[in-house]
Amino acid sequence: MLDRLDELTVCNSFACLPDSFYTRLAPRPPGDPRLLHVNRDVAALLGLSPAALDTPEFLDVCAGRAPLPGGQTIATVYSGHQFGVWAGQLGDGRAHLLGEVQGPGGSFELQLKGSGRTPYSRMGDGKAVLRSSVREYLAGEAMAGLGIPTTRALALVVSDDPVYRETVETAAVVTRVSPSFVRFGHFEHWAHSHTEEKILFDYVVDHFYPECREAQGGEPATDEAVVLRFLRTVVRRTAQLMAQWQLAGFCHGVMNTDNMSILGLTIDYGPYGFMDAFQANHICNHTDTGGRYAWNAQPAAANWNLYRLGSALMVLGPDGESLEAQIEPYEADFLAAYHAGITAKLGLGAWREGDEALVNDWWGLLHSQAADFTLSFRRLGGVAESPDAFLDLFSDPVAAQAWLDQYQTRIQGDTRSPAQRRHDMDRANPLYVLRNHLAQQAIEAAGRGDAGEIQRLLDVLRDPYTEQPGYEAYAALPPAWSQEISVSCSS
Ligand code: AMP
Ligand code: MG
């Protein structure tokens, strides 16, 4: 473990691309920045010791007051489709890429978010508010704890600087960490240019998808074959990610192509939500009035986005038909991952033909009774020992019992012991998720300068599948006031 930031091994592979890909510029740190919280798990991935996190240099880097030693600070340009409409050029409007750390956990880019205006800010102020920064900080860790691919966060810096949204809030800067922050939108941006698209493509494949270049059947892969394999791999990863989101009751909220990671990670946490009461058409983002990104629309939204990525790859040579052929298996990829996941969550042993009806009835039951997403699955695992705890989640326990009768017939053939099945189900069904009201409590405490609630949430969400004494309140149904939390794009 390194005690000083300047001992890190830092490289700048994205900043080595031609300068059309970004602007070199310094962040604009907020006034009087304070380090509210540091995530030691992520620090360990980078190889930073607790002592390193205590230094003034660490605060300076995370506040945007000093560059990462050895790093070259840039803001990158990308474009994208927002809510189904081509939005043209976007880019890092309030983010600064600091460099890429080679740590014991792998290679990670460090990026500040909320660190001031850039040439890509358009009408924005380049700032992020404390509320959305706490939510982003927690969400990456909650997803990582669930085993869902995600960007993560290293540090949360706060300031008293006012930021004007619907009301006056205060500023914060999150240091985000990811192997790469490249989005579908980076490819869309360069799709009209035959030179830069190839440079971006080679960069992404060389760094993150080298297997796409491997020879097959003794023949070196042609340039076109590499493009097709790359797209196929991104399709597979995206389908896998969507299955994981659906099975966690996670809604992203703004699945625009500029918020789709080329690595298949969850990226850009804004108006996201983990569902409490299950509604298949739940919309977590109040700004999304049409429900384009509702929970049950997410897999199709990702599919649509993959077609946008596919079109952006046409300039690299392959024809539309060959590219489409890489995207067509998306539904099958998604269903394979989804069936495997729901089989584990319901403790079915293995997916069988006739399970579709049982699973559809399950979703129908949860939806019609607005039952709690997380606890319904979790308590189903313990239904043999505590049937009432399960049935209590439903306003009409008779309907729940009727489904349970079908279910119990189905699992009779399971060769596992009931104890083993329960154990396996508990590994697939978290007890704790980052419910909106839990994030809200952490935000309110953070506003008073108290990071204790953030730490407690990180502690419990690190292993959300294991019951932890003292954390009963974190596994409880949401209080009535949580319905009043309104989450929008405003951040
Ligand atoms: P989002 O939907 O939040 O991922 O953001 C879409 C685009 O708007 C990206 O280019 C962001 O960098 C930019 N953006 C969002 N909020 C701000 C802000 N407060 N200041 C500058 N740019 C912003
Ligand atoms: Mg974004």
Side-chain angles (χ1 to χ4, degrees), residues 171-189:
V173 180
V174 176
T175 307
R176 303 199 289 187
V177 170
S178 176
S180 173
F181 288 95
V182 172
R183 302 137 192 279
F184 288 13
H186 280 95
F187 285 86
E188 290 179 281
H189 184 76

Side-chain angles (χ1 to χ4, degrees), residues 1 27 58-59 61 64 131 133-134 228 242 249 315 343 397 430 458-459:
M1 287 289 187
F58 183 76
L59 168 63
V61 169
R131 163 180 56 84
S133 303
V134 171
L228 297 177
M242 289 308 114
V315 292
T343 298
L458 294 187
D459 288 342

Side-chain angles (χ1 to χ4, degrees), residues 47-62:
L48 289 174
S49 73
L53 310 175
D54 243 357
T55 58
E57 289 76 23
F58 183 76
L59 168 63
D60 286 345
V61 169
C62 295

Side-chain angles (χ1 to χ4, degrees), residues 76 78-79 82-83 89-95 113-114 116-118 120-129 163-165 176 183 252 254-256 258-259 267-271 489-491:
T76 78
Y78 53 81
S79 293
Q82 298 186 316
F83 290 90
Q89 182 186 304
L90 304 165
D92 296 325
R94 51 173 170 171
K113 180 168 174 179
R117 301 196 80 235
T118 76
Y120 316 112
S121 301
R122 298 173 295 151
M123 308 302 284
D125 58 7
K127 296 175 184 176
V129 298
V163 180
Y164 301 92
R165 299 290 183 258
R176 303 199 289 187
R183 302 137 192 279
H252 181 281
V254 203
M255 291 176 65
N256 295 334
D258 53 302
N259 291 336
I267 192 171
D268 280 13
Y269 294 95
C489 274
S490 143
S491 59

Side-chain angles (χ1 to χ4, degrees), residues 262-481:
I262 202 69
L263 301 186
L265 310 172
T266 316
I267 192 171
D268 280 13
Y269 294 95
Y272 70 86
F274 288 88
M275 248 189 282
D276 296 313
F278 177 67
Q279 290 293 281
N281 52 353
H282 176 71
I283 304 166
C284 63
N285 174 3
H286 280 217
T287 326
D288 180 14
T289 43
R292 182 178 175 88
Y293 301 133
W295 178 82
N296 58 0
Q298 296 188 125
N303 198 2
W304 191 90
N305 291 341
L306 285 164
Y307 278 101
R308 304 288 77 70
L309 176 65
S311 316
L313 296 176
M314 277 184 82
V315 292
L316 298 177
D319 55 72
E321 219 172 295
S322 315
L323 288 161
E324 272 182 26
Q326 312 310 310
I327 306 176
E328 268 151 24
Y330 169 82
E331 189 177 341
D333 291 341
F334 170 77
L335 284 176
Y338 164 75
H339 286 155
I342 195 77
T343 298
K345 286 178 78 72
L346 294 178
L348 300 179
W351 180 257
R352 291 193 207 149
E353 268 314 295
D355 286 339
E356 201 74 61
L358 181 74
V359 171
N360 285 344
D361 288 353
W362 168 253
W363 291 124
L365 174 73
L366 262 54
H367 178 87
S368 63
Q369 306 207 29
D372 188 74
F373 186 103
T374 301
L375 291 182
S376 296
F377 279 102
R378 180 75 179 194
R379 293 191 189 169
L380 180 66
V383 76
E385 297 88 344
S386 322
D388 290 346
F390 174 75
L391 292 170
D392 281 353
L393 295 170
F394 299 89
S395 48
D396 174 11
V398 177
Q401 184 61 54
W403 183 84
L404 211 48
D405 293 342
Q406 271 187 73
Y407 171 72
Q408 269 151 354
T409 312
R410 167 62 181 84
I411 59 172
Q412 263 164 17
D414 190 358
T415 49
R416 288 171 297 179
S417 68
Q420 184 64 46
R421 181 170 54 250
R422 174 166 196 182
H423 175 264
D424 294 348
M425 286 174 76
D426 282 353
R427 301 312 300 167
N429 295 315
L431 177 58
Y432 312 101
V433 289
L434 182 59
R435 296 175 186 271
N436 264 339
H437 77 277
L438 296 175
Q440 190 61 32
Q441 285 167 352
I443 292 165
E444 281 163 26
R448 300 188 296 269
D450 173 3
E453 202 48 42
I454 292 177
Q455 185 59 50
R456 273 189 291 283
L457 277 169
L458 294 187
D459 288 342
V460 74
L461 295 171
R462 181 185 289 121
D463 179 10
Y465 300 101
T466 304
E467 190 166 352
Q468 296 167 50
Y471 286 93
E472 290 73 16
Y474 295 78
L477 289 168
W481 61 262

